[in-house]
């Protein structure tokens, strides 16, 4: 048994700082990651947070399919640019 509670004043490290941030009279500054979000981003997070698990999985599949389609489209456009020689570096003058 310990003789003095001063050896470990906090039972869980970091709780005092967390309580100070979350207390009504403490400094309740918005976290940096939250401050950088725009209203549209916050709305999207709230929308995703309100989805059920199956709805969220459907949304993830939808985004994966969209990313795949965009990849195919980009590959087509890069091939097209290669054939049209619009991406070639200019040749140095002789």
């Amino acid at each position: 048994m310990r003789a003095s509670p001063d050896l470990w004043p906090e039972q869980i490290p970091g709780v005092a700082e967390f309580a100070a941030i979350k207390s009504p009279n403490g400094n309740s500054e918005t976290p940096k990651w939250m401050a950088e979000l725009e209203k549209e981003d916050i709305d999207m997070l709230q929308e995703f947070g309100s989805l059920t698990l199956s709805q969220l999985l459907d949304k993830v599949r939808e985004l994966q399919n969209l990313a795949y389609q965009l990849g195919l489209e980009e590959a087509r456009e890069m091939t097209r640019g290669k054939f049209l020689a619009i991406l070639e570096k200019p040749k140095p003058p002789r």
Side-chain angles (χ1 to χ4, degrees), residues 4-78:
S4 171
D6 293 334
L7 292 175
W8 292 282
E10 277 188 286
Q11 290 183 354
I12 303 173
V15 170
E17 291 87 7
F18 180 77
I21 290 171
K22 294 298 178 184
S23 67
N25 56 359
N27 183 9
S28 60
E29 185 177 306
T30 304
K32 182 181 178 186
W33 67 268
M34 187 84 170
E36 295 174 357
L37 295 178
E38 296 177 3
K39 183 174 179 349
E40 293 173 355
D41 299 328
I42 294 171
D43 291 344
M44 186 186 320
L45 285 173
Q46 289 174 343
E47 177 189 340
F48 288 156
S50 67
L51 296 176
T52 65
L53 181 60
S54 62
Q55 291 171 328
L56 188 59
L57 289 173
D58 289 341
K59 189 69 169 176
V60 168
R61 273 190 219 100
E62 180 184 320
L63 291 172
Q64 286 175 329
N65 288 338
L66 179 61
Y68 179 76
Q69 292 299 324
L70 288 173
L72 290 176
E73 187 177 330
E74 180 183 16
R76 277 194 303 269
E77 292 299 322
M78 291 298 289

